[in-house]
Amino acid sequence: MEIPFINVHREYDELKDSIAASLETFFARGKYILGEAVEQFEQSFAEYCGCKFGIGVANGTDAIQIALQACGVKHGDEVITVANTAVPTVSAICATGALPVFVDIDAQTCLLDVNKLKNALSPKTRAVVPVHLYGQAVDMEPLLEFAQSHSLYVIEDCAQAHGALYKGAKVGSFGNAAAFSFYPTKNLGAYGDAGMVVTNDSQIDKQCRLLRNYGFTDRYITVRQGYNSRLDELQAGFLQVKLSHLDHWNDVRRELAELYTEQLGLIQALRTPQCRDNAKHVYHLYVIQTDRRDELRSFLADRKICTLIHYPLPIHLQEAYSGLGYKPGDLPATESVTGRILSLPLNPWVTEDEQLIVIDAIKSFFKR
């Protein structure tokens, strides 16, 4: 049996009648750009996150860039983030003209180590972008205290954490603004690219709406330089359908994660994900750590079990960002974790039989 990392066909089979109805509504309305479907989903998703405003944009990368620029981040500023994230987090910062500055992570959770923030602070620091990686929230309370004491903006990168909780509140509701991706493989995914900024600040909302649509205040009248970065009606309608399923899907992810942890947690040469008591993980990814990562991955591939590495090379060591001046050893926890992490198949459409095959294969590997 071949076990893919994610099976998009099973998701579609579950939703196809509702998706077909959404498509019919899309064509019946005849409004393809910034219409009723976008407005409805913006409102629904903002409310889901516990925010007042949602601004639909073209993708999650644009969401970070537009949120930063709406807060006034500009050329020459510095923005603190982590290096073990997806490249788009950093490319979005660079697109504003700002300089990304990296802090190390907590090796247990793979999340930003709030205690290291002071090491990255400079007079040019304007914002922090905490990444809620793999589906678990960064420790936001001390991060917000640090940001407030230094007059910094906080833009949450929630691309992997739709519905995740921190001290009972959803991620996206803590910072000045938050950026979400609806890439097809996300916990809430479109059938193409899509993104959103959420915020409780009316001025940030206003600036995001200007930036996503050429800076228009009226047709062909522009008050600031902006972009073509609009969530389209078709994807908004699909996302509205899926939003009603998100909490259930996240519950299924947690159940699958519990079984993985229960069955794999006693293997001494393997570390299962570490979850904090004050957070509720949504397991966009189930990421184990082992010094035998590459050997294990090859062993599973031979048995037609697909795994992935999120992410194989930290951004501070990538060629495209060599100009930032980082070198091996600058972020020791980040670099150590990067060589050990492996993402196992986990999504709401993994069957019990498939998961048990993965578990048995991993146990067999470590018994050799």
Side-chain angles (χ1 to χ4, degrees), residues 7-132:
N7 193 319
V8 296
H9 303 291
R10 291 177 185 170
E11 182 204 60
Y12 175 70
D13 287 343
E14 178 181 335
L15 300 174
K16 59 184 177 182
D17 290 342
S18 298
I19 294 298
S22 177
L23 186 61
E24 286 294 325
T25 300
F26 168 77
F27 284 116
R29 283 176 177 158
K31 176 73 172 179
Y32 303 145
I33 303 293
L34 295 183
E36 183 178 340
V38 169
E39 292 176 1
Q40 181 183 13
F41 180 63
E42 287 176 335
Q43 180 179 355
S44 296
F45 190 71
E47 290 176 355
Y48 177 83
C49 294
C51 293
K52 294 179 181 178
F53 308 106
I55 306 95
V57 296
N59 53 68
T61 312
D62 285 2
I64 298 172
Q65 178 185 346
I66 286 172
L68 286 167
Q69 289 183 301
C71 291
V73 173
K74 60 186 184 306
H75 182 81
D77 290 336
E78 293 180 357
V79 177
I80 300 172
T81 193
V82 291
N84 67 322
T85 182
V87 168
T89 304
V90 177
S91 65
I93 294 170
C94 292
T96 70
L99 186 73
V101 177
F102 298 114
V103 293
D104 213 350
I105 61 171
D106 176 348
Q108 298 293 321
T109 63
C110 296
L111 299 173
L112 182 150
D113 187 341
V114 178
N115 296 317
K116 302 290 177 60
L117 284 169
K118 59 182 179 295
N119 300 333
L121 189 66
S122 87
K124 294 182 179 180
T125 308
R126 189 69 180 274
V128 182
V129 178
V131 181
H132 302 305

Side-chain angles (χ1 to χ4, degrees), residues 317-331:
L317 300 181
Q318 299 222 21
E319 180 180 356
Y321 296 95
S322 59
L324 297 176
Y326 290 89
K327 61 185 184 303
D330 284 344
L331 301 173

